[in-house]
Amino acid sequence: MSVVPKFAPADEARSRIDAAMAERGTGPGSSNLATEDGVILVNGASLKPQPVRWLWRHWLACGKLHILAGAPGEGKTTIAQAVAATTTCAGRWPDGTSCERRGNVVIWSGEDDPTDTLLPRLMAAGADVSRVHFVTGARIEGEVVPFDPARDLAQLLAALEHIGGVSLLIVDPVVSAVAGDSHKNTEVRRALQPLVDLAAATGAAVLGISHFSKGGQGADPTMRVNGSIAFGAVARVVMVAARVKGDDGGPRRILARSKSNIGPDDGGFEYALEQVEVRPGIEASRVLWGKAVEGTARELLTDPDDGDEGDKSARDSAADFLQQVLGEDVVPVKTIEMEARTAGVAWRTVRRAADRLGVRKRKGGMGAGWYWSLPKLATKAPNLSTAGGWTPSAPSVDTFDDEGESDER
């Protein structure tokens, strides 16, 4: 059984990849930037607008981080291998369009063995396996050790550039890139940033694989990505794979686009999984793509008969969202609203969840705005660096307008 390696702090990865990017003249420390300490500003007139470059148009963008999530057994890794195969041989995507050029693929998996699982699946999908490279470890002072992206990211960047033409990097599972608590928003954002930087530095599409959290039927699928909401927030595109009830009452599988900051955020494709024999005695699963489907991921993945259960799940997801965002802090409402928009959670649902959780809503002094905190922090002194100079008002400060809506937003 494969062992998922432990990781060093994300700050080390950030500094290492920044240094590597600086050597190539692409990062914050590059020679074309001012050497004095301070904030770096770039005038908009000096920038040239660039179109998003796509590996698979509106699904996989070059130089960006993506998430593919779903419940166990829905073929997420098999889908990833199908994407890799299409990349290596410039094949056709599920929508019928062609991959413009052959590209190399790098795969790092903490769950599946390359020889008995990943390679057979690639072969079943018709991949040019000579273009696939597996990260199996790192060599330090002559000793082979488990790969640690925080420690070895700069070396990985150099390896990708040595290979050349790397179009896709698969990280399975993406949660392994988080050294700390994968349910804490700030820690996840910091841990994922090196992957974002690596994607930008190489121009490769990075695809991270994740599971769904338990429950949540009827909720926004992006909110069901296991761990912190930051996984879905940092990724530019979130895809979900799930089994739902078909029109004939039988099961069908759907790959849907749940979120996109850079293109359409709906639609998907039906798919099936089948076992094939790639060599005598060696069987592997592969994807059979079906017809395109329309609608949002939430619509496609929700049973119409669920009714009230779907609304309940949405409220439960909003409550989970609030608990993750608030944590042990006193948080400005504007920050919560921004995170809710990013996560695709309706603000009215967030407010209802806040009422259910008994969230404390307090007005800051001197026009500082409103701040929320979980009930257990009601007597805790706020972090001024987080709350922006927050000071408590009167004991009961929630006020309402003529329509009964709280003016704390």
Side-chain angles (χ1 to χ4, degrees):
M1 181 177 68
S2 299
V3 177
V4 178
K6 296 293 184 179
F7 292 84
D11 284 347
E12 296 181 16
R14 290 294 306 277
S15 62
R16 289 177 183 275
I17 196 168
D18 284 348
M21 292 170 67
E23 291 177 3
R24 294 159 176 77
T26 59
S30 54
S31 59
N32 60 325
L33 301 176
T35 57
E36 296 83 1
D37 291 343
V39 175
I40 299 172
L41 300 176
V42 179
N43 187 275
S46 67
L47 299 176
K48 181 179 179 180
Q50 300 286 343
V52 175
R53 296 184 299 113
W54 296 97
L55 178 61
W56 175 15
R57 184 169 176 78
H58 293 155
W59 288 83
L60 289 168
C62 301
K64 308 293 183 183
L65 174 65
H66 314 71
I67 296 292
L68 170 58
E74 298 307 328
K76 299 182 296 296
T77 302
T78 305
I79 291 173
Q81 305 312 301
V83 169
T86 301
T87 302
T88 63
C89 61
R92 290 191 175 276
W93 299 112
D95 56 10
T97 61
S98 297
C99 182
E100 293 185 356
R101 61 186 180 279
R102 295 173 180 265
N104 293 324
V105 176
V106 174
I107 300 174
W108 170 54
S109 176
E111 295 186 343
D112 294 306
D113 186 275
T115 58
D116 63 20
T117 303
L118 300 180
L119 184 60
R121 290 181 183 179
L122 287 164
M123 295 168 64
D128 178 354
V129 295
S130 69
R131 287 185 171 273
V132 180
H133 304 262
F134 298 98
V135 179
T136 59
R139 182 173 286 104
I140 298 179
E141 297 180 353
E143 181 182 357
V144 176
V145 297
F147 176 74
D148 181 335
R151 180 194 63 217
D152 307 322
L153 206 54
Q155 291 88 335
L156 177 60
L157 176 60
L160 297 184
E161 293 188 339
H162 176 73
I163 294 170
V166 176
S167 298
L168 178 67
L169 171 64
I170 297 174
V171 181
D172 184 7
V174 70
V175 70
S176 298
V178 180
D181 189 338
S182 64
H183 290 81
K184 288 189 176 180
N185 191 35
T186 302
E187 290 190 23
V188 172
R189 285 181 180 273
R190 289 163 61 90
L192 291 181
Q193 192 58 45
L195 277 178
V196 174
D197 293 341
L198 181 64
T202 61
V206 176
L207 178 61
I209 310 298
S210 180
H211 293 298
F212 272 161
S213 57
K214 294 181 179 179
Q217 173 67 23
D220 181 351
T222 301
M223 286 293 296
R224 296 178 63 188
V225 176
N226 195 35
S228 165
I229 60 170
F231 284 104
V234 173
R236 299 299 82 193
V237 179
V238 176
M239 295 166 274
V240 293
R243 188 175 349 194
V244 298
K245 185 184 296 184
D247 295 336
D248 60 357
R252 66 169 180 165
R253 285 186 167 98
I254 290 179
L255 173 68
R257 190 168 37 207
S258 179
K259 170 226 168 172
S260 176
N261 294 92
I262 50 180
D265 59 358
D266 60 354
F269 301 93
E270 293 185 351
Y271 71 95
L273 301 175
E274 72 168 2
Q275 289 289 119
V276 296
E277 189 175 53
V278 295
R279 285 184 181 176
I282 300 178
E283 292 188 345
S285 60
R286 69 178 179 183
V287 176
L288 296 177
W289 295 110
K291 66 181 181 180
V293 292
E294 297 181 351
T296 67
R298 182 171 182 175
E299 294 168 345
L300 292 171
L301 272 58
T302 300
D303 186 338
D305 296 331
D306 284 346
D308 295 338
E309 184 63 29
D311 293 337
K312 179 181 178 182
S313 295
R315 293 193 297 270
D316 290 342
S317 293
D320 291 340
F321 160 82
L322 270 178
Q323 290 173 324
Q324 290 183 29
V325 171
L326 296 179
E328 298 181 354
D329 296 323
V330 178
V331 182
V333 167
K334 289 184 177 180
T335 299
I336 303 171
E337 285 184 302
M338 179 184 67
E339 294 284 1
R341 285 194 298 270
T342 301
V345 185
W347 184 243
R348 181 175 293 274
T349 307
V350 172
R351 291 192 303 185
R352 290 172 177 170
D355 291 340
R356 290 176 59 203
L357 293 173
V359 168
R360 291 297 302 269
K361 307 169 184 178
R362 298 185 176 185
K363 186 73 169 65
M366 302 297 291
W370 286 83
Y371 298 85
W372 288 8
S373 62
L374 293 174
K376 63 183 179 181
L377 300 175
T379 59
K380 177 182 176 180
N383 183 338
L384 297 184
S385 63
T386 301
W390 175 90
T391 54
S393 283
S396 179
V397 295
D398 288 356
T399 57
F400 297 84
D401 58 23
D402 293 337
E403 297 180 356
E405 297 289 353
S406 171
D407 69 357
E408 95 293 343
R409 302 180 68 86

